[in-house]
Amino acid sequence: MIHFVILISRQGKVRLTKWYSPYQQKERATAIRELSSLILTRGPKLCNFVEWKGYKAVYRRYASLYFCMCVDQDDNELEILEIIHHFVEILDRYFGSVCELDLIFNFHKAYYILDEILIAGELQESSKKIVARLIAAQDTMVETAKAEAGSVSNMIAQTM
Amino acid sequence: MALSGMRGLSVFISDVRNCQNKEQERLRVDKELGNIRTRFKNEKGLSHYEKKKYVWKILYVHMLGYDVDFGHTETVSLISAPKYPEKQVGYIVTSCLLNENHDFLRIVINTVRNDIIGRNETFQCLALTMVGNIGGKEFSESLAPDVQKLLVSSSCRPLVRKKAALCLLRLYRKNPDVVNIDGWSDRMSQLLDERDLGVLTAVMSLFVALVSNNIEAYWNCLPKCVKILERLARNQDIPPEYTYYGIPSPWLQVKTMRALQYFPTIEDPNTRRALFEVLQRILMGTDVVKNVNKNNAAHAVLFEALALVMHLDAEKEMMSQCVALLGKFIAVREPNIRYLGLYCGNCLEENMTRMLLVSDVQDIIKRHQSQIITSLKDPDISIRRRALDLLYGMCDVTNAKDIVEELLQEVICDPHKLSTISLQYLNTAEFAMREELALKAAILAEKFAPDLSWYVDVILQLIDKAGDFVSDDIWYRVVQFVTNNEDLQPYAAAKAREYLEKPALHETMVKVSAYLLGEYSHLLAQRPGCSPKEIFTIISEKLPTVTTSTIAILLSTFAKILMHNHPSDPQLQEQIWSIFRKYESYIDVEIQQRSVEYFALSRKGTALMDVLAEMPKFPERQSALIKKTEDAEVDTAEQSAIRIRSLQQTSNALVVTDQRPANGSVPVSQLALVRMPSQNMEASSTHDQATSQDQINPQDREFSHQNGSVTAVVPQEVHPADLLGDLLGPLAIEGPPAPAVPAEHKDQNLLSTPEATPDAAGPLALATVDDQPNSVQPIANIAERFNALCLKDSGVLYEDSHIQIGIKAEWRSHHGRFVLFLGNKNTSPLVSVQAVILPPTHLKMELSLVPETIPPRAQVQCPLEVVNLRASRDLAVLDLSYKFGTAVVNVKLRIPAVLNKFLQPLSISAEEFFLQWKSLSGPPLKLQEVLRGVKPLPLSELANLFTSLRMAVIPGIDTNPNNLIICATFHSESTRAMLCLVSINLCSSDIRVETDPTDRTQLRITLGSGDPILTFELKECIKEHLVSIPMQAPTPGISPIQPQSPVTPAYNDPGAMLAGLL
């Protein structure tokens, strides 16, 4: 199973974290720190797997962002690697040629999307089309709700 | 792009991004958190929109790595909001901020449940997702039935059902009881018929978890899995959106094959055939293609198929196909594939061992050895690690030399051309990798050494060139190895001498060289450049450059050189003394103490000889190195069953004598006495009979496991595995000496420090006082203990509820010395302590002064000197009495100064043996007897018994494998005088034990020596140990003066006595 997913930038800034196994705040920080130092220092033509504390970190770099998923030793690494790519393709489709900035300012969107792809550290949906449809439906629901609740107070709040 | 514009959030994010440094960022974050905190405090004016915004900000701050200790209530409360936008944020942020153990989750269980059982599909999805991601045990208990209902419901849409499947998987992981096996196998089977691939993928994940815990319940699902594979891989019968780069859902294929690997076999021939057809298609149809993603996905499936084929005992043809593929992968350039090829190779290696197909596969893998070695030099540490594992796994006698030398090159020469100067910049992973390389090279070198000198060459080279990566364990092991292999000693010493010539030497090399030369340089004395003086000079040159721990070793080496300094060279002596004097005031106490002690010792003249004699052999035990790799492997928690199995196999293959039983204290009644694990004690008696001791003391062992331990006199932890470390490390003086111990005893304490004792059991012997065996039936045990002590040199002689008497003995020709350790177990002093030795006529014994009072929880040590006058089996008795409160206790204890203690194993050549044998012409010099009722023992144990009796079993003289030729010399004062024309101080006694292979309960023993009394006595002595005759009368018991004197003696139980012996 996937124990956690982290997105880190080239500079080591965290862009998204999602934990499927219980980690305390401190353990989360350690994991991020250790894995960043392991992954960010690796050269471009190496394999996509790093062994870490009895787990395997499967990672892949997209422009300035590293996507990393930490799995059990005996999990199928290539399968995980392609889950990463699957996730990236969906992000790409949703944002339209996704870049790091999209994920910084819309990190909550990235969480919505991730929740449609993974649950319990396992792949939930492997069809990009279906994920896109579900996310679009969510967005519509939020928009409708907003329109319905277009009261004065809400409009004031939005301008703040 | 429908981005919900939350301006406040965007502004905050850009502010944070614009911060120049961490400090500014912190200020900005603190400001924001302060703001949110005040807004939350007065919640009334807070709109849903604001709440949402703040909660997102909190998540953002949390993601940046700051601790946010508030806002959880507000986040969680959003879950109960009636509208979708708020609820969604509540669910998602909650599942990111909190983990399953968080208390706050409890308060929403009800809300979550209402959402799950409610009619609103979108709410169901949100709730299922959160529970699936962070649901814990409590969720598991209260929600599982509802989630199951959703999963099997026909009215639910796929988007809900797939979430329900994974949510149930989470709940099942938290508490397997929630899925009721009985009903589920049928349901599962139906679920596997699912047409929607999203649902099916999720269901398959659930199925893998279920089947991994209980195969039996899910046999009916097996054909379904094969059907799914056929549907995907053969028929490609799936909607286009589920193909990934042209491959039908690779994830589902992988998962399905994973599930199939849990079934031990496939019985049904049709299913089997269908499956193999699919597998064959996958094996054959996967090529390396340009597109990375397609390539990865295809190989993800291929590697899973390989694993499945290996698991399923496929036909040989298919196996070879797999192995050929692996060979291809190992050689391929693409790093991911190569990595997996190496990883898979290792699994295959392990798998094949299981299936007894070793030779074929190994041959094929070996053909790729050079490619694997190339991978060992890869710039990618992940690949290097895999290559190392595979090489380590495939190493055997045929290729050990090559592989070890490659590993050695790898540790030594740097693939990244890093000079030694830049070593400090090596990152930790690189460093760890080097250490692992060094460790594995050392293990393989020992395990598969074609000859012993090669082993020494390799390790010394390793230490010399890669000292930085050589952990202490490695050099301890060489010392242990050399000590235990006499043939090797001169060679190792000569090698060490050579290395010392080098101008710059790694400190570890200095340590190991100095140690080896201290022990064995006298064996080289004839060679040029190896006189004590020259050895001293070259070692003392290193003195100014080394650290404290090495100085300690060098001092010991000097003391040993001094001992071998005869004919005495006063100049050398003066030089060494001056070094000792110089270090008497060294800043480190350890060094000070050594210098003072060695200096004092060396003035004692001959006493030095005894004290500084060569280290005896170490007990055979699992190499600490192998333990280390095993620990490391456990550390890296390789989960797969294959791994675990292989680990178990390795550890079985090794003699593990040092597992420690749990040391938990148990409540002890007045009578149930105390003991430490006997394991400790056995490992601690540093003699080469460790294994035989294990057999000798099965009962002791049993007891120790049951009783655990209670503090005895001086709590001193000595881990057997660290034995060598203790010896070589700083001098471990025993626990606090009793205040009442007279000065001369303190002297004795010093003498028995580890470096100074000929018997390496130094600290351990001291520790044995704590490791006292306890007797539930103390009197019976006295006999057992005595018997055990006849075969080993340290242990407990006696114990009752007040006192523990441990002994440690050292033997040198016809001299012996015991140290009695009298330990007071009580919190009040033992008074009127009196000990008198009643020696038999053939022994001269002298017991040093025993103090009258033993302070509470203290121990005193009393040396007992023994001189053997002639051969006899009479025994010395220690008459000990003490007073505790009003009770006077008097015990008489046999002292194990028995005949065999004065033997010394002697190894002689065949010609010499027959010459001596013929010269002994019949009785009374040569006696023969057929022994009946011998305890049946395998030959190896019989041999061990003789080893324990201090006799050498010499292989190769008698061609009949059922016969043992045993040889020893006997030392006594009288025989020295008697045989002065032939040799001084020894008479040869050759024994032939011929066994009848069909009947192990009888054997014929023929033995001879130059002294008829010796011949007879020795024969009787051996008989006592071989035949089930109880030895003499039972021990003198405790005088019944003591009211609470423990338990009636279990006299005269020969079975028990023998069990104690054998």
Side-chain angles (χ1 to χ4, degrees):
Chain A
M1 80 175 267
I2 299 165
H3 295 280
F4 55 85
V5 178
I6 52 179
L7 264 66
I8 24 181
S9 75
R10 189 87 195 87
Q11 290 76 34
K13 293 248 189 266
V14 182
R15 296 305 178 207
L16 180 142
T17 60
K18 183 86 181 173
W19 310 83
Y20 298 101
S21 292
Y23 288 84
Q24 299 295 332
Q25 178 65 30
K26 253 199 187 133
E27 298 167 321
R28 293 180 178 189
T30 321
I32 292 172
R33 197 181 53 241
E34 292 186 5
L35 277 174
S36 319
S37 72
L38 267 183
I39 291 171
L40 297 180
T41 52
R42 281 172 66 83
K45 283 191 176 154
L46 309 183
C47 71
N48 295 87
F49 323 121
V50 188
E51 282 155 51
W52 173 76
K53 286 193 172 165
Y55 297 102
K56 265 182 193 160
V58 177
Y59 74 95
R60 187 142 161 194
R61 181 179 172 180
Y62 291 89
S64 57
L65 264 191
Y66 286 83
F67 287 68
C68 169
M69 294 187 177
C70 178
V71 297
D72 288 321
Q73 280 276 358
D74 59 352
D75 277 331
N76 187 319
E77 296 86 349
L78 289 173
E79 175 204 31
I80 304 295
L81 191 58
E82 290 316 292
I83 290 182
I84 291 179
H85 189 70
H86 178 59
F87 179 36
V88 172
E89 282 187 339
I90 291 170
L91 288 174
D92 196 55
R93 194 177 288 195
Y94 181 79
F95 288 105
S97 180
V98 68
C99 66
E100 191 182 343
L101 273 184
D102 290 327
L103 295 183
I104 293 171
F105 285 98
N106 295 289
F107 71 98
H108 50 305
K109 291 287 174 189
Y111 276 109
Y112 293 147
I113 294 172
L114 187 60
D115 267 359
E116 288 303 325
I117 297 173
L118 297 177
I119 289 183
E122 304 284 347
L123 181 67
Q124 178 195 178
E125 182 55 75
S126 57
S127 156
K128 290 188 269 285
K129 205 165 103 187
I130 289 178
V131 174
R133 212 160 59 205
L134 291 173
I135 296 290
Q138 285 178 13
D139 283 343
T140 323
M141 262 189 290
V142 174
E143 290 302 317
T144 340
K146 213 196 282 174
E148 276 172 12
S151 65
V152 178
S153 67
N154 237 0
M155 289 163 98
I156 294 169
Q158 275 179 48
T159 54
M160 278 174 71
Chain B
M1 199 163 45
L3 299 184
S4 48
M6 260 188 269
R7 232 184 113 241
L9 181 60
S10 302
V11 169
F12 173 58
I13 294 174
S14 21
D15 281 0
V16 170
R17 269 173 56 76
N18 290 336
C19 290
Q20 300 293 314
N21 52 42
K22 200 78 195 158
E23 196 41 44
Q24 276 185 15
E25 185 186 290
R26 175 174 290 280
L27 283 173
R28 180 68 185 85
V29 164
D30 282 347
K31 185 179 152 207
E32 194 65 37
L33 289 181
N35 179 32
I36 298 173
R37 205 192 292 263
T38 22
R39 293 308 304 263
F40 276 167
K41 261 194 195 137
N42 109 55
E43 216 184 312
K44 270 188 196 142
L46 220 55
S47 71
H48 280 306
Y49 170 76
E50 283 172 310
K51 248 191 187 176
K52 241 167 63 180
K53 184 175 72 179
Y54 292 139
V55 163
W56 276 122
K57 280 183 183 172
I58 287 177
L59 177 59
Y60 192 76
V61 170
H62 171 87
M63 210 167 72
L64 290 176
Y66 295 94
D67 261 339
V68 185
D69 52 1
F70 69 99
H72 295 160
T73 333
E74 288 76 7
T75 311
V76 170
S77 72
L78 278 176
I79 292 178
S80 326
K83 294 259 173 54
Y84 180 79
E86 287 78 39
K87 205 181 251 305
Q88 183 195 33
V89 175
Y91 270 120
I92 287 198
V93 179
T94 302
S95 69
C96 290
L97 279 185
L98 307 184
N99 77 31
E100 67 180 52
N101 304 316
H102 209 286
D103 286 340
F104 268 109
L105 287 177
R106 248 181 240 155
I107 59 178
V108 287
I109 288 190
N110 261 330
T111 320
V112 173
R113 176 155 193 268
N114 287 335
D115 282 341
I116 287 179
I117 57 177
R119 301 262 157 160
N120 188 324
E121 194 180 54
T122 51
F123 289 4
Q124 282 176 332
C125 286
L126 288 175
L128 288 170
T129 306
M130 188 194 80
V131 176
N133 287 337
I134 58 163
K137 229 175 153 115
E138 278 176 65
F139 279 84
S140 194
E141 276 147 21
S142 44
L143 300 178
D146 301 318
V147 177
Q148 288 183 21
K149 249 179 242 159
L150 290 183
L151 172 59
V152 295
S153 146
S154 53
S155 58
C156 275
R157 287 208 297 157
L159 83 151
V160 178
R161 291 181 57 223
K162 69 186 181 194
K163 286 184 164 63
L166 290 177
C167 183
L168 187 60
L169 167 60
R170 167 99 191 183
L171 301 181
Y172 174 75
R173 280 179 183 153
K174 295 299 155 193
N175 180 8
D177 297 336
V178 299
V179 175
N180 180 357
I181 308 269
D182 300 337
W184 262 92
S185 63
D186 288 342
R187 266 187 220 174
M188 200 68 228
S189 165
Q190 282 166 22
L191 283 169
L192 291 174
D193 289 331
E194 176 66 45
R195 293 300 293 173
D196 183 284
L197 283 183
V199 178
L200 189 56
T201 309
V203 164
M204 193 55 85
S205 292
L206 173 64
F207 179 63
V208 168
L210 292 174
V211 84
S212 70
N213 276 3
N214 187 342
I215 309 145
E216 293 308 318
Y218 296 100
W219 278 105
N220 58 341
C221 298
L222 198 151
K224 297 280 170 75
C225 291
V226 177
K227 281 238 164 59
I228 293 170
L229 269 188
E230 283 187 288
R231 176 181 164 197
L232 293 172
R234 197 183 67 191
N235 308 342
Q236 312 222 336
D237 165 26
I238 58 164
E241 70 254 35
Y242 281 101
T243 54
Y244 181 82
Y245 289 89
I247 298 161
S249 184
W251 297 286
L252 183 53
Q253 291 194 47
V254 166
K255 276 262 175 298
T256 313
M257 287 191 277
R258 185 52 65 98
L260 285 170
Q261 285 169 55
Y262 286 100
F263 295 99
T265 61
I266 298 176
E267 304 272 320
D268 176 48
N270 289 331
T271 315
R272 194 179 162 91
R273 198 178 325 113
L275 177 60
F276 275 113
E277 202 190 303
V278 175
L279 290 175
Q280 183 72 41
R281 189 183 287 266
I282 296 172
L283 292 189
M284 297 301 290
T286 313
D287 287 320
V288 178
V289 291
K290 269 229 157 133
N291 182 298
V292 182
N293 303 102
K294 182 170 182 163
N295 207 27
N296 285 343
H299 282 86
V301 175
L302 177 58
F303 274 105
E304 208 60 50
L306 274 174
L308 183 55
V309 172
M310 287 193 274
H311 169 78
L312 285 175
D313 269 339
E315 289 79 29
K316 209 167 170 196
E317 198 181 318
M318 203 162 188
M319 280 294 190
S320 354
Q321 219 175 340
C322 286
V323 177
L325 272 175
L326 278 183
K328 198 175 105 188
F329 296 150
I330 289 170
V332 89
R333 290 235 338 250
E334 212 281 311
N336 287 340
I337 309 281
R338 187 143 46 94
Y339 174 91
L340 292 172
L342 292 167
Y343 184 72
C344 225
N346 213 11
C347 297
L348 185 76
E349 182 89 21
E350 285 161 8
N351 241 8
M352 293 298 133
T353 319
R354 179 173 59 93
M355 293 193 264
L356 301 172
L357 279 169
V358 199
S359 58
D360 285 10
V361 175
Q362 278 195 341
D363 282 353
I364 298 176
I365 292 185
K366 270 188 210 155
R367 245 179 269 154
H368 297 284
Q369 189 170 315
S370 62
Q371 268 145 349
I372 301 171
I373 285 169
T374 317
S375 285
L376 191 64
K377 304 177 197 307
D378 199 273
D380 187 346
I381 188 170
S382 299
I383 289 185
R384 286 208 303 280
R385 211 172 265 278
R386 284 288 133 241
L388 172 61
D389 271 7
L390 182 53
L391 285 173
Y392 183 70
M394 68 192 269
C395 190
D396 59 23
V397 273
T398 62
N399 56 13
K401 230 170 164 161
D402 293 343
I403 289 183
V404 169
E405 262 147 35
E406 280 300 335
L407 297 188
L408 206 58
Q409 287 311 311
E410 218 32 51
V411 198
I412 294 168
C413 74
D414 210 306
H416 308 305
K417 310 276 175 285
L418 291 168
S419 64
T420 12
I421 307 151
S422 60
L423 267 184
Q424 50 186 310
Y425 301 115
L426 272 183
N427 64 39
T428 44
E430 285 287 349
F431 201 92
M433 174 79 192
R434 293 298 166 83
E435 278 192 340
E436 201 182 332
L437 271 165
L439 185 67
K440 291 198 160 153
I443 292 173
L444 293 177
E446 182 186 329
K447 207 160 152 192
F448 301 112
D451 54 89
L452 300 177
S453 54
W454 179 77
Y455 167 77
V456 169
D457 288 346
V458 167
I459 302 292
L460 291 184
Q461 207 181 339
L462 188 68
I463 297 174
D464 178 41
K465 299 215 173 116
D468 283 328
F469 307 108
V470 171
S471 61
D472 282 347
D473 297 314
I474 294 182
W475 84 262
Y476 291 172
R477 186 68 188 167
V478 202
V479 165
Q480 204 173 331
F481 197 81
V482 173
T483 309
N484 286 5
N485 288 285
E486 257 166 65
D487 308 346
L488 204 51
Q489 291 162 358
Y491 181 79
K495 271 279 165 191
R497 173 73 183 79
E498 268 173 43
Y499 273 106
L500 281 176
E501 292 284 349
K502 294 182 69 165
L505 212 51
H506 193 275
E507 191 162 329
T508 310
M509 196 67 205
V510 176
K511 284 184 191 172
V512 77
S513 307
Y515 187 96
L516 290 174
L517 286 172
E519 289 291 314
Y520 308 116
S521 65
H522 61 279
L523 302 173
L524 308 176
Q526 308 308 325
R527 305 190 191 183
C530 295
S531 69
K533 190 169 167 70
E534 283 158 306
I535 301 274
F536 165 76
T537 313
I538 197 152
I539 294 177
S540 59
E541 274 168 14
K542 311 285 175 196
L543 202 50
T545 60
V546 294
T547 57
T548 314
S549 64
T550 313
I551 294 178
I553 292 169
L554 295 193
L555 289 177
S556 303
T557 304
F558 295 153
K560 294 212 169 193
I561 290 177
L562 195 54
M563 175 188 72
H564 289 295
N565 177 28
H566 49 77
S568 175
D569 173 353
Q571 197 192 349
L572 175 61
Q573 176 167 312
E574 193 37 56
Q575 275 173 323
I576 292 179
W577 279 355
S578 75
I579 287 179
F580 288 157
R581 275 195 299 265
K582 178 174 155 206
Y583 280 97
E584 274 171 7
S585 53
Y586 193 72
I587 190 156
D588 185 271
V589 264
E590 161 64 28
I591 302 290
Q592 274 188 26
Q593 188 168 1
R594 276 192 199 215
S595 319
V596 173
E597 286 172 17
Y598 290 150
F599 185 63
L601 271 173
S602 61
R603 304 198 136 218
K604 292 202 164 189
T606 49
L608 185 67
M609 295 278 271
D610 284 353
V611 172
L612 291 176
E614 240 168 62
M615 296 285 274
K617 287 185 180 176
F618 291 91
E620 270 315 314
R621 58 172 167 243
Q622 184 182 11
S623 160
L625 305 185
I626 293 177
K627 260 178 78 95
K628 202 168 170 179
T629 52
E630 280 175 5
D631 290 349
E633 276 186 54
V634 172
D635 196 44
T636 49
E638 308 243 329
Q639 304 290 344
S640 76
I642 298 168
R643 274 283 145 158
I644 292 163
R645 200 162 40 229
S646 78
L647 273 181
Q648 285 162 350
Q649 280 166 356
T650 355
S651 50
N652 286 346
L654 295 154
V655 187
V656 188
T657 50
D658 52 7
Q659 330 128 311
R660 266 193 350 154
N663 261 0
S665 320
V666 284
V668 225
S669 70
Q670 184 78 347
L671 294 183
L673 303 185
V674 220
R675 82 174 292 175
M676 287 276 274
S678 65
Q679 198 83 34
N680 260 359
M681 198 180 69
E682 280 160 19
S684 67
S685 66
T686 321
H687 297 274
D688 40 357
Q689 325 98 326
T691 34
S692 63
Q693 282 164 15
D694 283 350
Q695 291 140 11
I696 287 159
N697 270 336
Q699 291 182 331
D700 277 5
R701 182 179 291 262
E702 199 58 43
F703 282 136
S704 69
H705 285 290
Q706 287 160 5
N707 291 0
S709 75
V710 171
T711 357
V713 188
V714 187
Q716 181 186 17
E717 176 104 350
V718 177
H719 194 300
D722 295 334
L723 172 58
L724 195 57
D726 294 339
L727 294 178
L728 298 165
L731 219 65
I733 295 282
E734 71 296 333
V741 178
E744 61 183 286
H745 291 168
K746 279 190 176 152
D747 259 347
Q748 295 307 339
N749 287 357
L750 296 179
L751 292 184
S752 56
T753 51
E755 284 297 328
T757 29
D759 190 322
L764 298 153
L766 301 163
T768 52
V769 179
D770 319 320
D771 305 347
Q772 301 296 10
N774 137 45
S775 39
V776 182
Q777 297 176 308
I779 295 178
N781 261 357
I782 291 175
E784 269 170 35
R785 282 174 175 161
F786 170 80
N787 292 347
L789 285 168
C790 287
L791 297 176
K792 59 181 189 181
D793 283 344
S794 63
V796 171
L797 185 64
Y798 171 77
E799 175 169 359
D800 62 26
S801 49
H802 306 303
I803 196 167
Q804 250 179 345
I805 304 173
I807 59 167
K808 190 176 94 64
E810 301 149 12
W811 307 96
R812 179 152 277 257
S813 75
H814 61 288
H815 291 277
R817 149 186 270 182
F818 286 96
V819 180
L820 301 177
F821 300 87
L822 308 180
N824 179 359
K825 291 158 59 177
N826 291 299
T827 45
S828 46
L830 294 179
V831 293
S832 309
V833 179
Q834 283 190 332
V836 180
I837 281 284
L838 312 168
T841 50
H842 74 285
L843 294 177
K844 260 203 296 206
M845 298 177 96
E846 197 179 330
L847 179 65
S848 69
L849 191 69
V850 176
E852 261 200 31
T853 311
I854 307 177
R857 298 218 163 272
Q859 76 172 86
V860 296
Q861 303 178 10
C862 310
L864 166 64
E865 304 287 349
V866 185
V867 178
N868 183 29
L869 303 178
R870 61 174 183 276
S872 163
R873 283 176 304 126
D874 293 344
L875 288 167
V877 172
L878 171 71
D879 187 345
L880 179 92
S881 60
Y882 64 88
K883 231 163 119 178
F884 179 72
T886 51
V888 178
V889 182
N890 176 241
V891 288
K892 292 189 175 62
L893 302 165
R894 287 181 292 166
I895 298 290
V898 287
L899 181 77
N900 58 284
K901 299 287 185 188
F902 300 101
L903 292 172
Q904 201 168 45
L906 175 74
S907 169
I908 60 173
S909 67
E911 304 87 69
E912 204 184 334
F913 174 83
F914 286 115
L915 193 74
Q916 295 286 340
W917 190 250
K918 278 180 202 135
S919 73
L920 297 166
S921 54
L925 288 183
K926 199 155 150 192
L927 295 172
Q928 191 169 71
E929 186 172 340
V930 174
L931 306 182
R932 290 176 213 286
V934 174
K935 168 97 182 170
L937 285 175
L939 208 61
S940 61
E941 282 178 37
L942 201 58
N944 282 338
L945 177 65
F946 280 106
T947 317
S948 311
L949 286 170
R950 304 172 68 94
M951 287 182 260
V953 177
I954 307 168
I957 292 185
D958 196 323
T959 44
N960 182 344
N962 283 307
N963 290 351
L964 288 175
I965 298 291
I966 296 146
C967 199
T969 54
F970 181 77
H971 300 261
S972 74
E973 214 170 57
S974 66
T975 43
R976 172 198 336 209
M978 205 180 86
L979 290 177
C980 59
L981 284 176
V982 185
S983 63
I984 301 163
N985 191 22
L986 46 101
C987 71
S988 236
S989 63
D990 307 318
I991 305 149
R992 280 164 74 99
V993 178
E994 288 159 42
T995 54
D996 174 0
T998 53
D999 180 9
R1000 290 241 175 254
T1001 63
Q1002 69 174 19
L1003 52 81
R1004 191 180 65 195
I1005 179 167
T1006 315
L1007 75 171
S1009 80
D1011 174 6
I1013 300 171
L1014 175 60
T1015 309
F1016 177 77
E1017 294 286 333
L1018 188 58
K1019 189 192 76 191
E1020 294 303 309
C1021 171
I1022 292 170
K1023 233 163 88 181
E1024 279 167 5
H1025 286 98
L1026 288 176
V1027 185
S1028 341
I1029 308 170
M1031 290 160 91
Q1032 304 175 2
T1035 35
I1038 295 181
S1039 324
I1041 314 165
Q1042 190 197 21
Q1044 73 270 54
S1045 149
V1047 196
T1048 36
Y1051 284 78
N1052 294 337
D1053 180 0
M1057 294 185 83
L1058 195 75
L1061 263 176
L1062 299 170

